[in-house]
Amino acid sequence: MKILITAGPTREYIDPVRFISNPATGTLGFMIAKKAKKKGHDVIVIAGPCEIPPLKGIKVFSVESALEMQDRVERYFPLVDVLIMTAAVSDWRPARMYKQKIKIKRNWKLNLIANPDILKTVSRRKNRNQIIVGFALESENILENARKKLKKKRLDLIVANSISNFGNTSKKTDIFFLFSDGTTKKVFCTKARLASLLLGEIEKLVSRKQH
Ligand code: C5P
């Protein structure tokens, strides 16, 4: 399979030295990329700013903002069988980016505008054999919210977990796989195990589409 994986956070600049972002590390995306490569798949990674050493045999494109990520994803999506969107894309960006460093003010309002939903845009152009996987990190009603996102973004599979699991890679946590046919699977595992289980599920989805 040809697999496109996004990883890490995005940065939305306010001025040349300040930005809006989140603490995503890109760990899971890169774990999936490494395992997929080991299994013989072709892998491309589009990564927001994260400190992960280069991976042998894997093409990594570095981006900063959600718009840059969207541009790369749209360019590479037509060439792959699978898109796995682990990136924690910033939902908003400043309405304008100041060219000069903003001087300290006691009180000021920062105007934010919504970033495009990358998954929603690319899933409109998906062909019958392509698989799209999204992630949902939820602070409440995990299954209900994830199911809504699965539908809204027209995904084949969404991987959902609780916000309390954020960042910790070695801890085992509850993770849910929600499929577009309405089925759900619950697993209790580490991120490394999740990467293997997810690839197994994707391989099954791809072979089902091809038959
Ligand atoms: O809606 P929410 O941000 O929770 O959805 C998470 C999923 O959507 C992730 O797979 C993330 O990579 C993707 N996403 C996106 N474009 C955005 C925000 C999130 O593709 N602007």
PDB file of all heavy atoms in Angstrom, residues 139-162:
ATOM      1  N   SER A 139     -12.820  15.119  25.233  1.00  0.00           N
ATOM      2  CA  SER A 139     -12.815  15.352  26.678  1.00  0.00           C
ATOM      3  C   SER A 139     -14.119  14.843  27.309  1.00  0.00           C
ATOM      4  O   SER A 139     -14.223  14.712  28.518  1.00  0.00           O
ATOM      5  CB  SER A 139     -12.621  16.833  26.975  1.00  0.00           C
ATOM      6  OG  SER A 139     -13.649  17.579  26.402  1.00  0.00           O
ATOM      7  N   GLU A 140     -15.133  14.566  26.500  1.00  0.00           N
ATOM      8  CA  GLU A 140     -16.400  14.007  27.016  1.00  0.00           C
ATOM      9  C   GLU A 140     -17.138  13.288  25.884  1.00  0.00           C
ATOM     10  O   GLU A 140     -16.849  13.514  24.714  1.00  0.00           O
ATOM     11  CB  GLU A 140     -17.280  15.130  27.580  1.00  0.00           C
ATOM     12  CG  GLU A 140     -17.505  16.229  26.568  1.00  0.00           C
ATOM     13  CD  GLU A 140     -18.363  17.360  27.071  1.00  0.00           C
ATOM     14  OE1 GLU A 140     -18.947  17.249  28.157  1.00  0.00           O
ATOM     15  OE2 GLU A 140     -18.453  18.364  26.348  1.00  0.00           O
ATOM     16  N   ASN A 141     -18.071  12.446  26.268  1.00  0.00           N
ATOM     17  CA  ASN A 141     -18.894  11.688  25.296  1.00  0.00           C
ATOM     18  C   ASN A 141     -18.063  11.185  24.114  1.00  0.00           C
ATOM     19  O   ASN A 141     -18.366  11.474  22.948  1.00  0.00           O
ATOM     20  CB  ASN A 141     -20.044  12.544  24.749  1.00  0.00           C
ATOM     21  CG  ASN A 141     -20.890  13.112  25.866  1.00  0.00           C
ATOM     22  OD1 ASN A 141     -21.056  12.464  26.908  1.00  0.00           O
ATOM     23  ND2 ASN A 141     -21.407  14.312  25.678  1.00  0.00           N
ATOM     24  N   ILE A 142     -17.026  10.426  24.438  1.00  0.00           N
ATOM     25  CA  ILE A 142     -16.053  10.003  23.407  1.00  0.00           C
ATOM     26  C   ILE A 142     -16.716   9.366  22.184  1.00  0.00           C
ATOM     27  O   ILE A 142     -16.501   9.796  21.049  1.00  0.00           O
ATOM     28  CB  ILE A 142     -15.041   8.985  23.996  1.00  0.00           C
ATOM     29  CG1 ILE A 142     -14.315   9.586  25.191  1.00  0.00           C
ATOM     30  CG2 ILE A 142     -14.041   8.526  22.946  1.00  0.00           C
ATOM     31  CD1 ILE A 142     -13.354   8.638  25.858  1.00  0.00           C
ATOM     32  N   LEU A 143     -17.539   8.341  22.446  1.00  0.00           N
ATOM     33  CA  LEU A 143     -18.089   7.586  21.316  1.00  0.00           C
ATOM     34  C   LEU A 143     -19.050   8.412  20.481  1.00  0.00           C
ATOM     35  O   LEU A 143     -19.004   8.392  19.249  1.00  0.00           O
ATOM     36  CB  LEU A 143     -18.781   6.310  21.812  1.00  0.00           C
ATOM     37  CG  LEU A 143     -17.823   5.256  22.356  1.00  0.00           C
ATOM     38  CD1 LEU A 143     -18.577   4.059  22.898  1.00  0.00           C
ATOM     39  CD2 LEU A 143     -16.856   4.808  21.268  1.00  0.00           C
ATOM     40  N   GLU A 144     -19.904   9.169  21.185  1.00  0.00           N
ATOM     41  CA  GLU A 144     -20.898   9.985  20.480  1.00  0.00           C
ATOM     42  C   GLU A 144     -20.212  11.047  19.594  1.00  0.00           C
ATOM     43  O   GLU A 144     -20.543  11.199  18.414  1.00  0.00           O
ATOM     44  CB  GLU A 144     -21.754  10.656  21.546  1.00  0.00           C
ATOM     45  CG  GLU A 144     -23.076  11.184  21.066  1.00  0.00           C
ATOM     46  CD  GLU A 144     -23.754  11.940  22.203  1.00  0.00           C
ATOM     47  OE1 GLU A 144     -23.678  11.480  23.364  1.00  0.00           O
ATOM     48  OE2 GLU A 144     -24.318  13.009  21.906  1.00  0.00           O
ATOM     49  N   ASN A 145     -19.248  11.746  20.161  1.00  0.00           N
ATOM     50  CA  ASN A 145     -18.554  12.792  19.403  1.00  0.00           C
ATOM     51  C   ASN A 145     -17.732  12.206  18.259  1.00  0.00           C
ATOM     52  O   ASN A 145     -17.699  12.762  17.159  1.00  0.00           O
ATOM     53  CB  ASN A 145     -17.647  13.617  20.324  1.00  0.00           C
ATOM     54  CG  ASN A 145     -18.462  14.517  21.229  1.00  0.00           C
ATOM     55  OD1 ASN A 145     -19.541  14.954  20.849  1.00  0.00           O
ATOM     56  ND2 ASN A 145     -17.964  14.773  22.425  1.00  0.00           N
ATOM     57  N   ALA A 146     -17.088  11.076  18.541  1.00  0.00           N
ATOM     58  CA  ALA A 146     -16.264  10.465  17.487  1.00  0.00           C
ATOM     59  C   ALA A 146     -17.154   9.982  16.338  1.00  0.00           C
ATOM     60  O   ALA A 146     -16.811  10.151  15.169  1.00  0.00           O
ATOM     61  CB  ALA A 146     -15.455   9.307  18.059  1.00  0.00           C
ATOM     62  N   ARG A 147     -18.286   9.398  16.662  1.00  0.00           N
ATOM     63  CA  ARG A 147     -19.205   8.914  15.613  1.00  0.00           C
ATOM     64  C   ARG A 147     -19.649  10.086  14.717  1.00  0.00           C
ATOM     65  O   ARG A 147     -19.704   9.960  13.503  1.00  0.00           O
ATOM     66  CB  ARG A 147     -20.383   8.196  16.302  1.00  0.00           C
ATOM     67  CG  ARG A 147     -21.501   7.736  15.465  1.00  0.00           C
ATOM     68  CD  ARG A 147     -21.351   6.398  14.724  1.00  0.00           C
ATOM     69  NE  ARG A 147     -20.834   5.276  15.458  1.00  0.00           N
ATOM     70  CZ  ARG A 147     -20.111   4.305  14.882  1.00  0.00           C
ATOM     71  NH1 ARG A 147     -19.831   4.350  13.599  1.00  0.00           N
ATOM     72  NH2 ARG A 147     -19.655   3.298  15.586  1.00  0.00           N
ATOM     73  N   LYS A 148     -19.927  11.235  15.357  1.00  0.00           N
ATOM     74  CA  LYS A 148     -20.338  12.421  14.583  1.00  0.00           C
ATOM     75  C   LYS A 148     -19.225  12.840  13.620  1.00  0.00           C
ATOM     76  O   LYS A 148     -19.480  13.174  12.466  1.00  0.00           O
ATOM     77  CB  LYS A 148     -20.624  13.593  15.534  1.00  0.00           C
ATOM     78  CG  LYS A 148     -22.014  13.557  16.120  1.00  0.00           C
ATOM     79  CD  LYS A 148     -22.278  14.867  16.867  1.00  0.00           C
ATOM     80  CE  LYS A 148     -23.434  14.684  17.839  1.00  0.00           C
ATOM     81  NZ  LYS A 148     -23.350  15.544  19.009  1.00  0.00           N
ATOM     82  N   LYS A 149     -17.970  12.830  14.123  1.00  0.00           N
ATOM     83  CA  LYS A 149     -16.840  13.232  13.276  1.00  0.00           C
ATOM     84  C   LYS A 149     -16.618  12.248  12.137  1.00  0.00           C
ATOM     85  O   LYS A 149     -16.289  12.630  11.015  1.00  0.00           O
ATOM     86  CB  LYS A 149     -15.566  13.356  14.114  1.00  0.00           C
ATOM     87  CG  LYS A 149     -15.606  14.588  14.988  1.00  0.00           C
ATOM     88  CD  LYS A 149     -14.402  14.742  15.870  1.00  0.00           C
ATOM     89  CE  LYS A 149     -14.671  15.888  16.848  1.00  0.00           C
ATOM     90  NZ  LYS A 149     -13.603  16.072  17.807  1.00  0.00           N
ATOM     91  N   LEU A 150     -16.806  10.964  12.419  1.00  0.00           N
ATOM     92  CA  LEU A 150     -16.661   9.921  11.391  1.00  0.00           C
ATOM     93  C   LEU A 150     -17.593  10.223  10.217  1.00  0.00           C
ATOM     94  O   LEU A 150     -17.213  10.131   9.047  1.00  0.00           O
ATOM     95  CB  LEU A 150     -17.013   8.565  12.013  1.00  0.00           C
ATOM     96  CG  LEU A 150     -17.017   7.340  11.111  1.00  0.00           C
ATOM     97  CD1 LEU A 150     -15.607   6.812  10.929  1.00  0.00           C
ATOM     98  CD2 LEU A 150     -17.884   6.226  11.694  1.00  0.00           C
ATOM     99  N   LYS A 151     -18.829  10.607  10.563  1.00  0.00           N
ATOM    100  CA  LYS A 151     -19.834  10.886   9.522  1.00  0.00           C
ATOM    101  C   LYS A 151     -19.540  12.202   8.818  1.00  0.00           C
ATOM    102  O   LYS A 151     -19.528  12.274   7.598  1.00  0.00           O
ATOM    103  CB  LYS A 151     -21.229  10.979  10.171  1.00  0.00           C
ATOM    104  CG  LYS A 151     -21.783   9.651  10.592  1.00  0.00           C
ATOM    105  CD  LYS A 151     -23.309   9.596  10.369  1.00  0.00           C
ATOM    106  CE  LYS A 151     -23.837   8.199  10.611  1.00  0.00           C
ATOM    107  NZ  LYS A 151     -24.342   8.023  11.991  1.00  0.00           N
ATOM    108  N   LYS A 152     -19.316  13.259   9.637  1.00  0.00           N
ATOM    109  CA  LYS A 152     -19.126  14.597   9.076  1.00  0.00           C
ATOM    110  C   LYS A 152     -17.919  14.653   8.128  1.00  0.00           C
ATOM    111  O   LYS A 152     -17.962  15.287   7.084  1.00  0.00           O
ATOM    112  CB  LYS A 152     -18.915  15.575  10.240  1.00  0.00           C
ATOM    113  CG  LYS A 152     -19.021  17.034   9.855  1.00  0.00           C
ATOM    114  CD  LYS A 152     -18.898  17.938  11.066  1.00  0.00           C
ATOM    115  CE  LYS A 152     -17.480  18.411  11.201  1.00  0.00           C
ATOM    116  NZ  LYS A 152     -17.176  19.191  12.380  1.00  0.00           N
ATOM    117  N   LYS A 153     -16.860  13.936   8.501  1.00  0.00           N
ATOM    118  CA  LYS A 153     -15.634  13.966   7.689  1.00  0.00           C
ATOM    119  C   LYS A 153     -15.610  12.829   6.662  1.00  0.00           C
ATOM    120  O   LYS A 153     -14.635  12.648   5.969  1.00  0.00           O
ATOM    121  CB  LYS A 153     -14.413  13.909   8.612  1.00  0.00           C
ATOM    122  CG  LYS A 153     -14.335  15.115   9.555  1.00  0.00           C
ATOM    123  CD  LYS A 153     -13.203  14.983  10.568  1.00  0.00           C
ATOM    124  CE  LYS A 153     -13.307  16.001  11.684  1.00  0.00           C
ATOM    125  NZ  LYS A 153     -12.262  17.034  11.652  1.00  0.00           N
ATOM    126  N   ARG A 154     -16.655  12.021   6.618  1.00  0.00           N
ATOM    127  CA  ARG A 154     -16.801  10.881   5.697  1.00  0.00           C
ATOM    128  C   ARG A 154     -15.572   9.962   5.720  1.00  0.00           C
ATOM    129  O   ARG A 154     -14.929   9.728   4.687  1.00  0.00           O
ATOM    130  CB  ARG A 154     -17.084  11.381   4.290  1.00  0.00           C
ATOM    131  CG  ARG A 154     -18.476  12.003   4.223  1.00  0.00           C
ATOM    132  CD  ARG A 154     -18.545  13.084   3.198  1.00  0.00           C
ATOM    133  NE  ARG A 154     -18.992  12.596   1.917  1.00  0.00           N
ATOM    134  CZ  ARG A 154     -18.836  13.299   0.793  1.00  0.00           C
ATOM    135  NH1 ARG A 154     -18.219  14.450   0.827  1.00  0.00           N
ATOM    136  NH2 ARG A 154     -19.290  12.847  -0.336  1.00  0.00           N
ATOM    137  N   LEU A 155     -15.281   9.458   6.923  1.00  0.00           N
ATOM    138  CA  LEU A 155     -14.099   8.609   7.100  1.00  0.00           C
ATOM    139  C   LEU A 155     -14.486   7.132   7.025  1.00  0.00           C
ATOM    140  O   LEU A 155     -15.646   6.774   7.222  1.00  0.00           O
ATOM    141  CB  LEU A 155     -13.466   8.888   8.466  1.00  0.00           C
ATOM    142  CG  LEU A 155     -13.212  10.361   8.799  1.00  0.00           C
ATOM    143  CD1 LEU A 155     -12.705  10.499  10.224  1.00  0.00           C
ATOM    144  CD2 LEU A 155     -12.202  10.939   7.822  1.00  0.00           C
ATOM    145  N   ASP A 156     -13.484   6.279   6.791  1.00  0.00           N
ATOM    146  CA  ASP A 156     -13.708   4.837   6.859  1.00  0.00           C
ATOM    147  C   ASP A 156     -13.541   4.357   8.285  1.00  0.00           C
ATOM    148  O   ASP A 156     -14.144   3.378   8.700  1.00  0.00           O
ATOM    149  CB  ASP A 156     -12.702   4.120   5.950  1.00  0.00           C
ATOM    150  CG  ASP A 156     -12.910   4.509   4.513  1.00  0.00           C
ATOM    151  OD1 ASP A 156     -13.817   3.948   3.883  1.00  0.00           O
ATOM    152  OD2 ASP A 156     -12.208   5.428   4.035  1.00  0.00           O
ATOM    153  N   LEU A 157     -12.678   5.049   9.015  1.00  0.00           N
ATOM    154  CA  LEU A 157     -12.380   4.629  10.389  1.00  0.00           C
ATOM    155  C   LEU A 157     -11.939   5.845  11.190  1.00  0.00           C
ATOM    156  O   LEU A 157     -11.197   6.691  10.680  1.00  0.00           O
ATOM    157  CB  LEU A 157     -11.254   3.577  10.333  1.00  0.00           C
ATOM    158  CG  LEU A 157     -10.491   3.219  11.599  1.00  0.00           C
ATOM    159  CD1 LEU A 157     -11.420   2.638  12.664  1.00  0.00           C
ATOM    160  CD2 LEU A 157      -9.400   2.195  11.280  1.00  0.00           C
ATOM    161  N   ILE A 158     -12.425   5.936  12.437  1.00  0.00           N
ATOM    162  CA  ILE A 158     -11.912   6.977  13.327  1.00  0.00           C
ATOM    163  C   ILE A 158     -11.410   6.299  14.601  1.00  0.00           C
ATOM    164  O   ILE A 158     -12.035   5.348  15.098  1.00  0.00           O
ATOM    165  CB  ILE A 158     -12.961   8.084  13.605  1.00  0.00           C
ATOM    166  CG1 ILE A 158     -12.304   9.329  14.220  1.00  0.00           C
ATOM    167  CG2 ILE A 158     -14.118   7.593  14.472  1.00  0.00           C
ATOM    168  CD1 ILE A 158     -13.100  10.617  14.061  1.00  0.00           C
ATOM    169  N   VAL A 159     -10.270   6.741  15.078  1.00  0.00           N
ATOM    170  CA  VAL A 159      -9.681   6.192  16.304  1.00  0.00           C
ATOM    171  C   VAL A 159      -9.920   7.224  17.395  1.00  0.00           C
ATOM    172  O   VAL A 159      -9.474   8.368  17.275  1.00  0.00           O
ATOM    173  CB  VAL A 159      -8.166   5.947  16.117  1.00  0.00           C
ATOM    174  CG1 VAL A 159      -7.558   5.354  17.374  1.00  0.00           C
ATOM    175  CG2 VAL A 159      -7.914   5.054  14.911  1.00  0.00           C
ATOM    176  N   ALA A 160     -10.647   6.803  18.439  1.00  0.00           N
ATOM    177  CA  ALA A 160     -11.035   7.775  19.464  1.00  0.00           C
ATOM    178  C   ALA A 160     -10.447   7.422  20.814  1.00  0.00           C
ATOM    179  O   ALA A 160     -10.382   6.251  21.195  1.00  0.00           O
ATOM    180  CB  ALA A 160     -12.560   7.813  19.562  1.00  0.00           C
ATOM    181  N   ASN A 161     -10.008   8.437  21.518  1.00  0.00           N
ATOM    182  CA  ASN A 161      -9.621   8.218  22.909  1.00  0.00           C
ATOM    183  C   ASN A 161      -9.832   9.474  23.738  1.00  0.00           C
ATOM    184  O   ASN A 161     -10.254  10.501  23.223  1.00  0.00           O
ATOM    185  CB  ASN A 161      -8.199   7.646  23.042  1.00  0.00           C
ATOM    186  CG  ASN A 161      -7.144   8.596  22.560  1.00  0.00           C
ATOM    187  OD1 ASN A 161      -7.423   9.687  22.122  1.00  0.00           O
ATOM    188  ND2 ASN A 161      -5.900   8.158  22.637  1.00  0.00           N
ATOM    189  N   SER A 162      -9.546   9.337  25.018  1.00  0.00           N
ATOM    190  CA  SER A 162      -9.849  10.428  25.926  1.00  0.00           C
ATOM    191  C   SER A 162      -8.669  11.385  26.013  1.00  0.00           C
ATOM    192  O   SER A 162      -7.499  10.989  25.922  1.00  0.00           O
ATOM    193  CB  SER A 162     -10.166   9.844  27.297  1.00  0.00           C
ATOM    194  OG  SER A 162      -9.953  10.807  28.273  1.00  0.00           O
TER     195      SER A 162
END
